[in-house]
């Protein structure tokens, strides 16, 4: 039996004051599909099968990503990746991956409910993040397509460089999301940025 109760994003219960943005954008990208994939990178048959499903190669270089039309594969470790896709794709994606990996030593786990993405974009992006992140995120060393696991205001986060605006996607665990969002709002206050209330789905 389907439920009529609307689903809420990790920020759905948190209300933020809206104000005009004069120096960029700060908002949640809720309900995306997050799939954790683990397999032996030396298993070329498994990687080829994954390529046929995803339409992109798994990145093998540390701290890089590969992006297709509607999916990004993010390197997390030598044998671990995060697959980030649009809302509503987890069931089909996981079924296709499991079928492709039958007979191989691999793990495919839907973690969509456990984390979310907050996007920060605009000329103030690096100034805001520098207040709580020790990494150098300048495009000369962190170009579009780069990723890094780090601490942001002492919370674990995965940062993904989207473009050279610059735009950074901040992927955080659900339990840390309200804290990270509040910290981002406070840090971005000088630039007129607020996170609008998240909608239900």
């Amino acid at each position: 039996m389907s439920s009529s109760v609307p689903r809420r994003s990790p920020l759905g219960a948190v209300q933020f004051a809206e104000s005009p943005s004069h120096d960029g954008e700060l908002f949640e990208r809720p309900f995306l599909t997050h799939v954790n994939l683990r397999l032996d990178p030396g298993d070329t048959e498994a990687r080829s099968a994954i390529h046929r499903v995803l339409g992109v190669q798994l990145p093998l270089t540390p701290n890089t990503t590969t992006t297709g039309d509607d999916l990004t594969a993010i390197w997390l470790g030598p044998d671990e990746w995060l697959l980030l896709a649009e809302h509503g794709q987890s069931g089909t994606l996981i079924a296709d991956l499991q079928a492709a990996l039958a007979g191989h030593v691999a793990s495919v786990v839907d973690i969509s409910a456990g984390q979310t993405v907050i996007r920060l974009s605009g000329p103030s992006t690096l100034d805001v993040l520098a207040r709580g992140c020790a990494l150098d995120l300048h495009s000369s060393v962190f170009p579009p397509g780069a990723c890094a696991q780090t601490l942001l205001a002492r919370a674990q986060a995965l940062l993904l460089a989207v473009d050279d605006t610059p735009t950074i996607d901040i992927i955080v665990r659900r339990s840390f999301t309200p804290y990270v969002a509040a910290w981002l709002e406070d840090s971005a206050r000088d630039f007129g940025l607020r996170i609008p209330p998240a909608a239900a789905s």
Side-chain angles (χ1 to χ4, degrees):
M1 182 175 68
S2 62
S3 173
S4 60
V5 178
R7 187 169 62 148
R8 293 215 171 259
S9 75
L11 289 182
V14 181
Q15 296 298 312
F16 294 96
E18 292 188 80
S19 65
S21 171
H22 303 291
D23 195 16
E25 295 182 294
L26 178 61
F27 59 93
E28 184 186 14
R29 299 180 64 208
F31 310 121
L32 295 181
T33 295
H34 301 242
V35 174
N36 181 271
L37 171 67
R38 302 200 69 167
L39 58 83
D40 178 1
D43 187 340
T44 56
E45 290 186 4
R47 284 172 36 217
S48 295
I50 293 296
H51 182 206
R52 289 192 292 272
V53 172
L54 303 181
V56 298
Q57 298 281 1
L58 291 176
L60 300 181
T61 301
N63 299 319
T64 62
T65 67
T66 54
T67 301
D69 292 337
D70 56 2
L71 181 141
T72 298
I74 304 169
W75 187 93
L76 297 180
D79 65 352
E80 184 176 12
W81 295 265
L82 173 66
L83 308 178
L84 195 62
E86 293 303 313
H87 169 49
Q89 294 189 22
S90 62
T92 300
L93 181 59
I94 287 178
D96 290 347
L97 289 171
Q98 290 176 336
L101 292 170
H104 298 272
V105 178
S107 170
V108 180
V109 181
D110 183 2
I111 58 173
S112 304
Q115 55 191 33
T116 194
V117 181
I118 301 174
R119 174 163 289 184
L120 180 59
S121 181
S124 62
T125 294
L126 301 188
D127 292 326
V128 172
L129 295 177
R131 297 179 177 185
C133 178
L135 295 182
D136 182 356
L137 300 176
H138 190 273
S139 59
S140 62
V141 293
F142 198 68
C147 64
Q149 298 177 78
T150 186
L151 292 179
L152 178 62
R154 300 185 180 181
Q156 292 181 337
L158 171 61
L159 305 184
L160 173 62
V162 178
D163 59 39
D164 56 8
T165 301
T167 299
I168 303 289
D169 275 349
I170 305 160
I171 303 172
V172 292
R173 289 170 54 187
R174 188 181 191 96
S175 57
F176 284 111
T177 301
Y179 163 73
V180 170
W183 181 88
L184 284 167
E185 274 216 318
D186 185 63
S187 298
R189 194 178 307 275
D190 293 342
F191 306 100
L193 298 178
R194 301 288 184 274
I195 300 180
S201 172

Tab-separated table of all heavy atoms in Angstrom, residues 89-112:
chain	number	residue	atom	x	y	z
A	89	GLN	N	15.791	7.204	-9.819
A	89	GLN	CA	16.509	6.232	-10.638
A	89	GLN	C	17.081	5.060	-9.843
A	89	GLN	O	17.622	4.127	-10.437
A	89	GLN	CB	17.648	6.916	-11.400
A	89	GLN	CG	17.189	7.920	-12.429
A	89	GLN	CD	18.330	8.402	-13.300
A	89	GLN	OE1	19.353	7.732	-13.424
A	89	GLN	NE2	18.177	9.564	-13.892
A	90	SER	N	16.985	5.110	-8.510
A	90	SER	CA	17.711	4.117	-7.707
A	90	SER	C	17.260	2.690	-7.986
A	90	SER	O	18.092	1.785	-8.115
A	90	SER	CB	17.579	4.440	-6.215
A	90	SER	OG	16.219	4.393	-5.807
A	91	GLY	N	15.944	2.450	-8.091
A	91	GLY	CA	15.471	1.082	-8.288
A	91	GLY	C	15.993	0.461	-9.568
A	91	GLY	O	16.557	-0.644	-9.560
A	92	THR	N	15.842	1.171	-10.672
A	92	THR	CA	16.302	0.667	-11.962
A	92	THR	C	17.814	0.555	-12.007
A	92	THR	O	18.369	-0.437	-12.493
A	92	THR	CB	15.821	1.588	-13.097
A	92	THR	OG1	14.392	1.636	-13.089
A	92	THR	CG2	16.307	1.086	-14.443
A	93	LEU	N	18.491	1.571	-11.475
A	93	LEU	CA	19.954	1.589	-11.509
A	93	LEU	C	20.530	0.415	-10.725
A	93	LEU	O	21.431	-0.284	-11.198
A	93	LEU	CB	20.472	2.916	-10.962
A	93	LEU	CG	21.985	3.114	-10.941
A	93	LEU	CD1	22.572	3.003	-12.338
A	93	LEU	CD2	22.330	4.475	-10.319
A	94	ILE	N	20.027	0.196	-9.529
A	94	ILE	CA	20.549	-0.888	-8.701
A	94	ILE	C	20.253	-2.242	-9.335
A	94	ILE	O	21.114	-3.137	-9.366
A	94	ILE	CB	19.975	-0.791	-7.275
A	94	ILE	CG1	20.627	0.377	-6.543
A	94	ILE	CG2	20.190	-2.097	-6.513
A	94	ILE	CD1	20.122	0.612	-5.159
A	95	ALA	N	19.049	-2.420	-9.866
A	95	ALA	CA	18.707	-3.691	-10.511
A	95	ALA	C	19.625	-3.954	-11.707
A	95	ALA	O	20.115	-5.074	-11.892
A	95	ALA	CB	17.245	-3.670	-10.957
A	96	ASP	N	19.878	-2.931	-12.499
A	96	ASP	CA	20.749	-3.092	-13.666
A	96	ASP	C	22.184	-3.391	-13.251
A	96	ASP	O	22.865	-4.228	-13.866
A	96	ASP	CB	20.712	-1.829	-14.526
A	96	ASP	CG	19.377	-1.640	-15.241
A	96	ASP	OD1	18.584	-2.593	-15.278
A	96	ASP	OD2	19.143	-0.528	-15.746
A	97	LEU	N	22.658	-2.712	-12.205
A	97	LEU	CA	24.024	-2.947	-11.735
A	97	LEU	C	24.177	-4.352	-11.164
A	97	LEU	O	25.161	-5.046	-11.430
A	97	LEU	CB	24.405	-1.904	-10.679
A	97	LEU	CG	24.635	-0.485	-11.177
A	97	LEU	CD1	24.792	0.480	-9.999
A	97	LEU	CD2	25.876	-0.413	-12.070
A	98	GLN	N	23.206	-4.787	-10.365
A	98	GLN	CA	23.275	-6.123	-9.779
A	98	GLN	C	23.256	-7.197	-10.853
A	98	GLN	O	23.974	-8.200	-10.764
A	98	GLN	CB	22.129	-6.315	-8.783
A	98	GLN	CG	22.297	-5.489	-7.511
A	98	GLN	CD	21.120	-5.612	-6.568
A	98	GLN	OE1	20.002	-5.929	-6.988
A	98	GLN	NE2	21.351	-5.357	-5.294
A	99	ALA	N	22.452	-6.987	-11.883
A	99	ALA	CA	22.412	-7.960	-12.976
A	99	ALA	C	23.733	-7.987	-13.731
A	99	ALA	O	24.244	-9.054	-14.081
A	99	ALA	CB	21.263	-7.617	-13.926
A	100	ALA	N	24.306	-6.802	-13.950
A	100	ALA	CA	25.569	-6.715	-14.689
A	100	ALA	C	26.722	-7.326	-13.908
A	100	ALA	O	27.681	-7.840	-14.492
A	100	ALA	CB	25.870	-5.257	-15.024
A	101	LEU	N	26.634	-7.283	-12.576
A	101	LEU	CA	27.735	-7.745	-11.728
A	101	LEU	C	27.531	-9.170	-11.214
A	101	LEU	O	28.300	-9.623	-10.363
A	101	LEU	CB	27.924	-6.783	-10.553
A	101	LEU	CG	28.434	-5.386	-10.936
A	101	LEU	CD1	28.351	-4.444	-9.742
A	101	LEU	CD2	29.872	-5.470	-11.445
A	102	ALA	N	26.517	-9.837	-11.689
A	102	ALA	CA	26.287	-11.217	-11.261
A	102	ALA	C	27.529	-12.062	-11.557
A	102	ALA	O	28.071	-12.021	-12.653
A	102	ALA	CB	25.072	-11.787	-11.988
A	103	GLY	N	27.982	-12.783	-10.551
A	103	GLY	CA	29.172	-13.609	-10.709
A	103	GLY	C	30.462	-12.897	-10.369
A	103	GLY	O	31.531	-13.526	-10.367
A	104	HIS	N	30.394	-11.609	-10.072
A	104	HIS	CA	31.574	-10.843	-9.677
A	104	HIS	C	31.480	-10.487	-8.191
A	104	HIS	O	30.381	-10.387	-7.630
A	104	HIS	CB	31.681	-9.549	-10.491
A	104	HIS	CG	31.843	-9.769	-11.961
A	104	HIS	ND1	33.071	-9.935	-12.563
A	104	HIS	CD2	30.925	-9.851	-12.959
A	104	HIS	CE1	32.909	-10.106	-13.864
A	104	HIS	NE2	31.614	-10.066	-14.134
A	105	VAL	N	32.628	-10.301	-7.559
A	105	VAL	CA	32.658	-9.857	-6.172
A	105	VAL	C	32.451	-8.344	-6.161
A	105	VAL	O	33.335	-7.573	-6.577
A	105	VAL	CB	33.993	-10.217	-5.495
A	105	VAL	CG1	34.015	-9.696	-4.073
A	105	VAL	CG2	34.211	-11.723	-5.526
A	106	ALA	N	31.269	-7.909	-5.740
A	106	ALA	CA	30.931	-6.493	-5.801
A	106	ALA	C	29.814	-6.204	-4.812
A	106	ALA	O	29.125	-7.116	-4.326
A	106	ALA	CB	30.502	-6.105	-7.213
A	107	SER	N	29.632	-4.925	-4.523
A	107	SER	CA	28.581	-4.468	-3.616
A	107	SER	C	27.904	-3.250	-4.227
A	107	SER	O	28.572	-2.325	-4.700
A	107	SER	CB	29.173	-4.117	-2.253
A	107	SER	OG	28.222	-3.471	-1.432
A	108	VAL	N	26.570	-3.267	-4.224
A	108	VAL	CA	25.774	-2.148	-4.735
A	108	VAL	C	24.737	-1.802	-3.669
A	108	VAL	O	23.875	-2.631	-3.348
A	108	VAL	CB	25.061	-2.511	-6.056
A	108	VAL	CG1	24.246	-1.321	-6.568
A	108	VAL	CG2	26.060	-2.973	-7.105
A	109	VAL	N	24.827	-0.598	-3.100
A	109	VAL	CA	23.956	-0.226	-1.988
A	109	VAL	C	23.324	1.137	-2.251
A	109	VAL	O	24.029	2.115	-2.552
A	109	VAL	CB	24.734	-0.180	-0.654
A	109	VAL	CG1	23.802	0.191	0.498
A	109	VAL	CG2	25.408	-1.514	-0.378
A	110	ASP	N	22.002	1.193	-2.114
A	110	ASP	CA	21.284	2.466	-2.236
A	110	ASP	C	21.421	3.231	-0.923
A	110	ASP	O	20.954	2.797	0.122
A	110	ASP	CB	19.811	2.190	-2.535
A	110	ASP	CG	19.002	3.471	-2.747
A	110	ASP	OD1	19.576	4.573	-2.697
A	110	ASP	OD2	17.785	3.357	-2.971
A	111	ILE	N	22.082	4.386	-0.970
A	111	ILE	CA	22.251	5.211	0.236
A	111	ILE	C	21.571	6.573	0.059
A	111	ILE	O	21.902	7.536	0.744
A	111	ILE	CB	23.747	5.395	0.586
A	111	ILE	CG1	24.514	6.034	-0.579
A	111	ILE	CG2	24.371	4.070	0.983
A	111	ILE	CD1	25.955	6.395	-0.209
A	112	SER	N	20.590	6.621	-0.842
A	112	SER	CA	19.929	7.889	-1.161
A	112	SER	C	19.287	8.544	0.061
A	112	SER	O	19.292	9.777	0.181
A	112	SER	CB	18.851	7.667	-2.230
A	112	SER	OG	19.380	7.064	-3.386
